[in-house]
Each structure stands twice: as C-alpha cells, then as structure tokens.
Amino acid sequence: MSKKTYYITTPIYYPSDKLHIGHSYTTVAADTMARYKKLRGYDVMFLTGTDEHGQKIEKKAKENGTTPKKYVDNIVDWVKDLWKVMDISYDRFIRTTDDNHIQTVQKIFKTLYEKGDIYKSYYEGWYCTPCESFYTERQLKDGKCPDCGRPVEKVREEAYFFKLSKYQDKLIEYIEKHPDFIQPQSRQNEMINNFLKPGLEDLCVSRTSFDWGVPVEFDKGHIVYVWIDALSNYISALGFGSLDDTEYQKYWPADVHLMGKEIVRFHTIIWPAILMALDLPLPKQIFGHGWLVIDGEKMSKSKGNVVDPKLLVNRYGSDAIRYFLMREIAFGQDGNFTNEALIQRINSDLANDLGNLVSRTVAMVIKYCDGRLSNERARTEFDEEIETMAVETVKKVEDAMEQLFFSHALVEIWHLVRRTNKYIDETTPWILAKDSDSKDKLMNVLYHLVENLRIISILIEPFMPQTPSLMREQLGITQSQCLTWESTRTWGCLKDVIVQKGDIIFPRIDMEKELESLKKTQNLGKKQESDDIVGEEDGLISIDDFEKVELKVGEVLECNKVKGADKLLVSKIKIGNEIRQIVSGIARHYSPEQMIGKKVIVVTNLKPVKLRGVLSEGMILAASDTHDHLVLGTIDKDIESGSSVK
Ligand code: MSP
C-alpha cells in the first residue's frame, strides 16, 4: 500500500540576509510538522524557498551596483545556511528565478487570459513597493501604506487585470462550507468581514515600469505581478504545467500553507481565486500564525528590534531556540520575544526538567547497577501511574499536533518529564539501594525512568532534532524497534540497556551575566536604515568596526578531539610568545594529526568561553559553504606566528 502523503509549505522568503527570528518562526513550525508527519510514516513534501522578483529587489541590486540575479544568488546561499543552522529539513527549495517556475507562471497567466479571467486595461492608483501591494486612495491610511505605514507611490500604467471580483461570492461560500480552510477561526472572520463582504475589486496583475520579474509571454513589455508569481510556487515546485507533473498529481492539494497573519489575505483570497479560475483544487488549509513582537511591536529592521537567529543558535544550540519558539508562543497568537524569557525556558524546562532527569537517571544506573539495566519487574505502587501517563501523553500530543497546537504538545510532554522527575522522589532509589532485598525494585524503578525517557525522546524529536540522539547515547537506547513513533504506544519496549555518562545536554545559564553579554552583541534598539528587506548598506561596517577584531597568525602545536563532542577539536596554538587553547568545530573536516604544524588565522581578542566544558581562548578562521564543506583560512606564504592579519 502506498504511504499517505502530506504536503506542507512555508511562504517563500524575500531574499534577505537580515532574516530574523520572526522569519525563522514560520519555518521552524513547518519543519516541526514535517518531521512529525515523517515520524508518523507519511510521505512528506516540505517546501520552502525564496521570492526573488519585484521592484524592490531590482532597486537594491542597482544600489549595490550589481544585477538582480547576482544580488539574489548571494543572499540565497545565506538563507540556505540559516535553515541548515536551524536544522530545517525541507524537501524542496524553490527559487522564483528557477526556469521551470518561470515557465509555469507564464503558462498560468496565459491560461487565465485565454479563459477571459485576465484582461488588459489601465491602472491608476497607489503602490507600496516594500509590500508589493496595490491600494486605492480610499484604502491608504494618512496617505501611507495601510499595512506597513511606509510611503506609497502613485502608479499610472497600462496593465492586465485579474477578475477577482467574479470570485467574491464563490469564495465566501467556499470558506463558509469549509470551516477548517482558514485557521485560526479569528483570521477567517477577519477575511470575510473586512475583505470579502465589503466587496472585491479586480486585481492589477502586471507592471510595466520595471523589468525584474516574469515577462508576460504574449506581451513582453509586461511583468507578472510578484504575488501571482510568488503564489504559483506552491504548484510550480511540484511540476504543475510541465511535462512531468507526477509530484503535482501526488501531493496537490497541499495539506497546509503556513504563514504569518499579514499575508493571509493573499493566500485566502487571491490564491484560491486563481485556483478556482484554473479549475484546480484548493489547499486544504491556510494557517496564519501570529507575530513575534518586541515590546508590542512587530520585529522589523526599520524598528531596530530584530533578533538574529544565527547568533542565538551559536550561543544556545538550535534545539533550545526551536523549543523556545514552539513552546513560548501559542501558535496563532502574537508572542513577545525577550532574552529573559528565552534563558528562563532554557534553564527551567531544558536544563532543570529534562537535562536533570537524564543526568540523574544515568548517574543512578551507573552508581547502583554498574550501568546495566534489564526489564525486571518488581513493581512499586507508583509504576502504573507513570506508565499510563506516558502512553496517554502520546495521544494528547497527537491531538495537539493535528491542530498545529505546538505549544500544547510541548506542555503535555513536559508534564510527563516533570511527573517522571517526581517519580524519583516518590520511589527514593537511594534508599532502595541500601537494602539488598530491594535490588529488583531498584532495577525496576530505574528501568521506568529510562523507558519514560525513551518515550520522551521520541515525542520531542519533531521539535528538537539533536537532543534525542544525545539522550539515547547516554541511556544506551539502540534497539531501532524502540525508536519508532508506534513504539511509544507500548510501554516497556526496551530490553537491556547499558548507560554511559555523557556531557550535560543543556548546561544552566547564568541569567545576569548572559543578559549583559547579549545586550552588547544584539544592539537591540539601534535603528537600522531600511525596512525588512535585503541587506543593503547596513550589511557594511566601518574600518573602525573592523579594527576592533584582532587577527593573528598562529601555529598549531598540539591538537586533540574533545571527548564526547564529535564536532570539536581542541588545539594548543602558538601566537608569538603566547600559547592559547582554542576549541573549533572542525573535527568532521580535519583530523588532529592534519592540524599539527598548520599556520592558521586566529581571532585573538574574543572573550574566552567554555565549549563542552573546555576553555576556548579565541577562534580559528575557516570558510564553509552550504554543502557542508569547510576549509581553514590560511596565509599565502610562511610568516612568523604572532604576525597581525589586517
Ligand atoms: N515573500 C512573501 C511571501 C510570499 S508566499 C507566496 C513574504 N516574505 S517575508 O520574507 O516577508 O515573510 C516570510 C514569512 O516570515 C511570513 O510568514 C511572515 O509572516 C513571517 N514573519 C516575518 N516577520 C515575522 C515576525 N516578526 N513574527 C512571525 N513571523 C514573521 O511575505
């Protein structure tokens, strides 16, 4: 029997090297869902990508003295790297500059024209370039864009129009008949009452005042409106309209399009109307989540309140950031981002609750049972409750996930984590250990801890892709049949385990010091020059900024692997008269032997940090690409260690 399919999409992102933690939110949610469905045995297609055409990109490229294509190529690599850093497991990455996408858009436009749903006329009105949206005089707010508040420009040009008004009643009827189509419910009401009922006007779907876009095939002076171009990605990525549309046949209609609330309007009105005009099925659900806000305001570069996801992942690891995003904010509602809340979650939920449960369990199995456990049953009065709770949690998590209630799912999992911690206090293994008659009971108690942690490790897998294997390594859980989602329904899957002590999975963070240090690095509140889009001048630093970084040539004298961390090497590096210890994440690319004797470039004025408990006093420079290649930065000819690099 063929597997059930599941097709999930994020919006395609405007190419920007300033994608912030708010952008990552949509993608982390989609990734969590995609991973969940994969674990449940679905054949999943998870699509993301970049929305690369339009006037604003053309402008930015000009300002940067380059072509739009070269301009976006660079940024797309950066975006892909961000998703890699955040462990985003997309199945397809579409770029609207891909040839097959362009051809599909042209075909869609032509079909709509031939069907009489697109006609040529004349457009006069207002255009907001950052939002790539048309507005009538009436729709403006104080003469500015009603969505982003920025200045709009007057546009007067010959243009093609899509008969959106024709679909108004059909759309209302469809939405009313399919209550799950727009979620959450509040967004559905908003679309019906604020947009559909007041009446739809035909939509201008071509521009002639710039070139960077998909040309209308039969009228080359016209460029297809970017939103028509962008929305079509959801089917062009599956080969719709091409010679091989097998994937379109297999995955369409999408199970869910995920996005932030400000673009729900495009997805629930324009996109379904186009699909109706093409006689294609509509996506099953459009889910508009809320925004990550800072002090009540949407995160945005122009407000100077963006939080850099790469910086956070570097400090705390991607699992902690993903956990925070999915746990802290109820999906669908806005949520405030603060550094305090993030560190608080890491310390209480991850370090205290989960981390402690793992390390206490491992320590006790080593201390009381020489690290070995088997499925012995000398039951205690507390066993049944935690066994039942574990299995019931699975059901609750499944229910929450089906509704995209990510934070509910995590709340349920953490009830189980906390309940399992409480079980240790109830059964007091340290007292059982004193009585030789209680050996079997002790073994049974410890087995319960490991077994519950096994189930927990599976339940958190969609949210935190790295932590489960770290837990399983320490707990000695290797049997593959005990790692499937199905195996969580039967309590007691594990047979024998041999545990081994490992690193603390989530070290506690000193809140005060960390907040101070974050304040210095994040620059929150410093207004940057432009809007959310694209790294323009503000990607640049002055020579004074650059000179703050001290770079020197160092010679590697010794190099070893860092125990328990398969990515890290620790090197002793001679820099002039000084010897520094530096930890680097290069173990997958260089062996310790290859490192010895190398001359490398070292950042020497970084604050020392501990990585996996090992002191690191600087950083070795290396280049890495998006295909997981990494090479060390070197100097062209031999030069003394300690020499400055400028
Ligand atoms: N290119 C369009 C989408 C076209 S889809 C056919 C676009 N791109 S975007 O880069 O501006 O936004 C991408 C996603 O990031 C959207 O879902 C948007 O809502 C989300 N977010 C951007 N800032 C956000 C927050 N501060 N908080 C949560 N999500 C936010 O729109």
Side-chain angles (χ1 to χ4, degrees):
M1 212 178 70
S2 62
K3 283 183 178 180
K4 269 175 89 176
T5 59
Y6 186 77
Y7 180 28
I8 182 165
T9 67
T10 70
I12 44 175
Y13 291 81
Y14 292 128
S16 163
D17 59 1
K18 293 287 177 291
L19 289 189
H20 50 67
I21 195 81
H23 294 108
S24 313
Y25 184 60
T26 318
T27 317
V28 167
D31 185 64
T32 302
M33 205 56 201
R35 285 178 184 272
Y36 170 71
K37 288 287 177 179
K38 281 176 194 168
L39 253 181
R40 299 294 314 270
Y42 282 72
D43 172 345
V44 174
M45 170 59 79
F46 167 21
L47 173 72
T48 188
T50 38
D51 187 357
E52 303 181 10
H53 289 130
Q55 202 170 352
K56 63 189 167 198
I57 302 283
E58 192 180 78
K59 266 190 187 166
K60 291 293 163 201
K62 251 188 214 143
E63 283 164 20
N64 282 266
T66 183
T67 63
K69 183 65 169 59
K70 279 199 188 129
Y71 179 71
V72 289
D73 279 351
N74 271 332
I75 298 176
V76 167
D77 281 347
W78 185 95
V79 172
K80 284 188 174 167
D81 186 56
L82 171 64
W83 298 150
K84 190 172 144 206
V85 163
M86 301 221 49
D87 284 315
I88 304 298
S89 59
Y90 56 79
D91 298 293
R92 181 112 348 127
F93 190 99
I94 185 165
R95 300 182 54 177
T96 51
T97 48
D98 292 342
D99 285 345
N100 58 342
H101 170 78
I102 293 174
Q103 283 155 18
T104 305
V105 172
Q106 289 180 323
K107 245 186 205 162
I108 290 176
F109 200 93
K110 193 158 169 234
T111 312
L112 295 175
Y113 180 70
E114 284 166 356
K115 283 187 156 188
D117 270 322
I118 281 183
Y119 60 93
K120 201 171 188 174
S121 180
Y122 205 75
Y123 180 77
E124 187 163 358
W126 297 92
Y127 195 74
C128 173
T129 307
C131 293
E132 300 281 16
S133 286
F134 297 99
Y135 300 102
T136 58
E137 184 85 43
R138 187 165 55 87
Q139 287 171 320
L140 300 182
K141 238 193 223 157
D142 304 327
K144 300 225 167 107
C145 170
D147 286 331
C148 72
R150 283 173 280 207
V152 285
E153 47 182 308
K154 185 105 188 177
V155 179
R156 260 186 117 252
E157 55 195 44
E158 185 191 66
Y160 285 92
F161 281 80
F162 172 62
K163 286 188 183 165
L164 190 59
S165 56
K166 175 176 155 189
Y167 292 93
Q168 174 179 325
D169 294 340
K170 266 182 139 183
L171 283 168
I172 296 178
E173 193 190 326
Y174 186 89
I175 294 169
E176 285 177 347
K177 274 203 184 139
H178 298 83
D180 287 338
F181 178 57
I182 307 178
Q183 281 300 318
Q185 176 73 32
S186 55
R187 312 244 182 273
Q188 177 176 322
N189 302 341
E190 187 192 342
M191 290 305 124
I192 300 232
N193 299 329
N194 299 0
F195 295 101
L196 285 160
K197 292 222 163 128
L200 293 177
E201 287 177 20
D202 287 354
L203 176 73
C204 179
V205 287
S206 77
R207 304 287 315 271
T208 52
S209 50
F210 65 96
D211 298 324
W212 182 236
V214 178
V216 173
E217 211 185 346
F218 51 88
D219 196 349
K220 291 270 161 60
H222 287 257
I223 296 294
V224 176
Y225 173 40
V226 275
W227 269 99
I228 304 293
D229 170 357
L231 289 162
S232 308
N233 94 88
Y234 298 128
I235 53 176
S236 72
L238 302 178
F240 173 79
S242 72
L243 286 177
D244 180 4
D245 71 350
T246 334
E247 287 191 330
Y248 169 78
Q249 298 299 344
K250 183 170 173 193
Y251 294 110
W252 191 256
D255 290 270
V256 59
H257 290 321
L258 279 192
M259 74 212 57
K261 60 184 178 182
E262 80 284 14
I263 55 172
V264 166
R265 181 165 60 97
F266 298 91
H267 285 80
T268 56
I269 298 177
I270 301 177
W271 181 226
I274 291 172
L275 290 167
M276 284 175 174
L278 293 168
D279 289 321
L280 298 178
L282 306 197
K284 293 178 203 158
Q285 188 168 79
I286 314 284
F287 197 107
H289 62 69
W291 287 336
L292 250 69
V293 296
I294 288 202
D295 298 330
E297 285 204 90
K298 184 174 181 238
M299 217 176 263
S300 124
K301 204 166 65 167
S302 54
K303 293 185 190 119
N305 64 357
V306 296
V307 172
D308 175 3
K310 284 191 180 172
L311 182 142
L312 293 183
V313 169
N314 266 338
R315 292 177 94 97
Y316 313 115
S318 72
D319 275 13
I321 306 306
R322 291 171 59 114
Y323 173 79
F324 173 76
L325 291 176
M326 293 298 97
R327 170 64 186 86
E328 186 74 7
I329 304 146
F331 205 61
Q333 290 164 26
D334 288 353
N336 210 27
F337 179 94
T338 64
N339 290 329
E340 286 89 333
L342 170 65
I343 297 167
Q344 177 66 31
R345 281 269 169 229
I346 296 179
N347 279 347
S348 71
D349 299 10
L350 301 181
N352 256 8
D353 295 338
L354 181 61
N356 260 346
L357 180 58
V358 174
S359 42
R360 281 170 97 188
T361 303
V362 170
M364 287 192 292
V365 179
I366 291 176
K367 186 164 174 197
Y368 302 136
C369 304
D370 285 336
R372 287 169 181 275
L373 265 192
S374 58
N375 189 354
E376 294 281 341
R377 300 295 172 90
R379 295 180 69 79
T380 74
E381 59 190 296
F382 305 104
D383 297 354
E384 195 175 328
E385 192 190 327
I386 68 158
E387 290 169 12
T388 317
M389 183 176 180
V391 175
E392 279 173 359
T393 302
V394 178
K395 183 79 194 58
K396 288 182 182 159
V397 170
E398 288 173 354
D399 290 346
M401 292 304 276
E402 282 318 309
Q403 300 176 73
L404 304 170
F405 289 165
F406 300 106
S407 57
H408 286 202
L410 286 172
V411 166
E412 292 301 341
I413 301 171
W414 255 255
H415 278 156
L416 179 62
V417 172
R418 292 191 187 111
R419 183 64 192 84
T420 310
N421 262 322
K422 189 170 156 215
Y423 173 84
I424 303 182
D425 304 330
E426 289 168 342
T427 53
T428 57
W430 48 93
I431 295 178
L432 296 178
K434 287 188 185 142
D435 175 3
S436 56
D437 289 345
S438 301
K439 192 95 187 118
D440 285 352
K441 227 179 204 176
L442 174 62
M443 180 87 96
N444 165 74
V445 165
L446 298 179
Y447 177 85
H448 273 73
L449 299 179
V450 177
E451 179 62 3
N452 266 20
L453 278 167
R454 173 187 76 83
I455 294 175
I456 291 163
S457 79
I458 298 169
L459 297 181
I460 63 171
E461 216 175 299
F463 297 90
M464 305 165 85
Q466 295 184 15
T467 305
S469 51
L470 297 177
M471 290 167 64
R472 290 167 194 159
E473 239 168 63
Q474 300 197 19
L475 295 164
I477 304 173
T478 50
Q479 295 113 299
S480 57
Q481 74 278 14
C482 297
L483 296 177
T484 63
W485 189 272
E486 282 313 303
S487 74
T488 58
R489 295 181 205 290
T490 327
W491 199 94
C493 178
L494 281 178
K495 299 286 172 271
D496 305 324
V497 291
I498 303 176
V499 309
Q500 52 175 0
K501 202 167 157 33
D503 289 335
I504 291 180
I505 43 180
F506 291 104
R508 263 190 83 77
I509 298 169
D510 180 328
M511 172 80 88
E512 221 172 284
K513 276 196 194 148
E514 190 64 16
L515 288 178
E516 199 46 42
S517 152
L518 274 173
K519 210 159 120 194
K520 285 188 194 136
T521 32
Q522 278 177 331
N523 279 338
L524 282 185
K526 279 205 182 152
K527 235 183 166 69
Q528 299 182 24
E529 260 182 17
S530 175
D531 54 70
D532 290 35
I533 318 137
V534 189
E536 56 281 60
E537 319 76 55
D538 52 23
L540 306 177
I541 57 170
S542 70
I543 186 77
D544 295 342
D545 292 329
F546 177 71
E547 284 194 344
K548 285 186 197 149
V549 183
E550 196 178 88
L551 297 172
K552 290 202 170 155
V553 175
E555 183 178 352
V556 182
L557 302 180
E558 272 177 40
C559 183
N560 292 296
K561 292 194 163 159
V562 173
K563 239 176 123 198
D566 54 358
K567 287 190 191 156
L568 300 182
L569 292 183
V570 52
S571 311
K572 290 262 160 49
I573 301 188
K574 180 175 179 312
I575 303 165
N577 295 327
E578 198 190 347
I579 294 181
R580 294 258 185 122
Q581 171 167 296
I582 297 183
V583 178
S584 346
I586 54 175
R588 297 225 172 110
H589 309 273
Y590 289 89
S591 66
E593 297 72 39
Q594 284 174 314
M595 290 296 292
I596 293 171
K598 268 204 194 319
K599 288 222 165 131
V600 288
I601 303 172
V602 180
V603 184
T604 48
N605 61 342
L606 277 180
K607 271 198 181 151
V609 285
K610 275 197 171 173
L611 296 169
R612 295 293 182 118
V614 183
L615 180 71
S616 182
E617 306 164 297
M619 184 172 91
I620 301 177
L621 294 193
S624 61
D625 65 14
T626 49
H627 310 289
D628 206 25
H629 300 131
L630 180 146
V631 290
L632 289 175
T634 49
I635 37 167
D636 184 32
K637 291 195 188 123
D638 198 24
I639 191 164
E640 267 178 34
S641 80
S643 308
S644 295
V645 180
K646 292 237 154 113

